[in-house]
Amino acid sequence: MKVLFPVVLLCSGLVFSQKTVPADYQKIPEILDNPELLYPFIIPDKKYDYWSVFRNNPDPDKAIIYESQAPDFMTLNDPAPTKGFFQKCLGEDCFSYILACENGRTLYFSNEQQLRNFIGFVDNLPEAILVANTYGYIVDTGNILSSSYKIHKEHISLYLTKFTNSTSKESFLIIINRKTGKLEVKNSSTY
């Protein structure tokens, strides 16, 4: 009896102290954990004649991640950016960037802030995840505390994760203002 009471107390403390996601949140579909699959859902605030997402790869067939539509005819004389958003390494296949054409002029969006500006108003869940990705937050489909969302009229709430070091991750509640794209972040738990 002396041993049973502390064991029950310890187990109940573990069960009741675990963080949970509110019941009105939905699970983020697993396919949305890859940023390259989110680009087709972008609805830019500005009207562009054409826009495309590229990775820095010298092979044109491997460089295109997404095209909004095929351009009628386009010749680019501008050099491609040497850095981009979601920079993973140095060299080929290390980052992405957006090329947009507006009134016959080429525009490049090649860092995280420029990607957020290109997205503008956060229209949908994939755009919200991309905005959060630009701040280092990712979807971890293996944990409900890091892969849940709720869409409101004024903002989108997400439970996402961020690596704090090479071995531990923290779960965060991220509230993205749909109009401004600004984040409000609350630490949820470490796992």
Side-chain angles (χ1 to χ4, degrees):
M1 186 69 170
K2 290 181 183 179
V3 175
L4 183 62
F5 181 72
V7 170
V8 170
L9 184 65
L10 182 61
C11 289
S12 66
L14 287 173
V15 169
F16 291 111
S17 69
Q18 289 185 358
K19 302 266 184 187
T20 60
V21 174
D24 57 345
Y25 278 68
Q26 298 177 341
K27 179 141 175 54
I28 295 173
E30 286 186 26
I31 196 165
L32 298 182
D33 69 348
N34 180 349
E36 289 191 0
L37 300 176
L38 303 175
Y39 299 121
F41 298 99
I42 293 177
I43 303 168
D45 274 356
K46 292 178 80 176
K47 180 72 176 152
Y48 295 101
D49 302 326
Y50 164 84
W51 64 274
S52 190
V53 183
F54 292 91
R55 72 176 56 87
N56 67 318
N57 191 312
D59 182 349
D61 294 332
K62 293 180 181 177
I64 297 174
I65 298 172
Y66 173 76
E67 288 183 291
S68 63
Q69 73 270 347
D72 294 333
F73 177 74
M74 187 171 78
T75 303
L76 297 176
N77 295 325
D78 302 330
T82 57
K83 290 190 174 191
F85 44 86
F86 306 136
Q87 185 91 29
K88 299 176 205 163
C89 58
L90 299 174
E92 294 177 6
D93 282 338
C94 292
F95 62 84
S96 302
Y97 62 92
I98 294 175
L99 175 143
C101 292
E102 180 181 41
N103 300 324
R105 214 174 99 229
T106 304
L107 303 171
Y108 287 100
F109 298 85
S110 58
N111 65 40
E112 283 78 4
Q113 181 59 53
Q114 290 173 349
L115 175 59
R116 291 190 290 267
N117 293 344
F118 181 79
I119 291 171
F121 183 85
V122 181
D123 297 286
N124 53 49
L125 177 61
E127 284 186 348
I129 293 170
L130 271 173
V131 168
N133 287 169
T134 65
Y135 291 100
Y137 300 98
I138 59 172
V139 176
D140 179 4
T141 57
N143 187 335
I144 194 74
L145 276 174
S146 299
S147 61
S148 301
Y149 75 99
K150 182 177 179 181
I151 298 178
H152 308 272
K153 183 178 181 179
E154 301 287 325
H155 60 276
I156 296 178
S157 301
L158 303 161
Y159 278 96
L160 298 176
T161 194
K162 191 174 198 177
F163 286 95
T164 53
N165 60 42
S166 61
T167 58
S168 67
K169 298 183 256 182
E170 283 187 56
S171 177
F172 293 89
L173 171 61
I174 300 163
I175 301 169
I176 300 175
N177 183 311
R178 294 181 77 176
K179 187 175 184 180
T180 64
K182 300 287 183 204
L183 271 66
E184 179 183 328
V185 178
K186 297 176 184 173
N187 187 316
S188 182
S189 69
T190 302
Y191 64 102

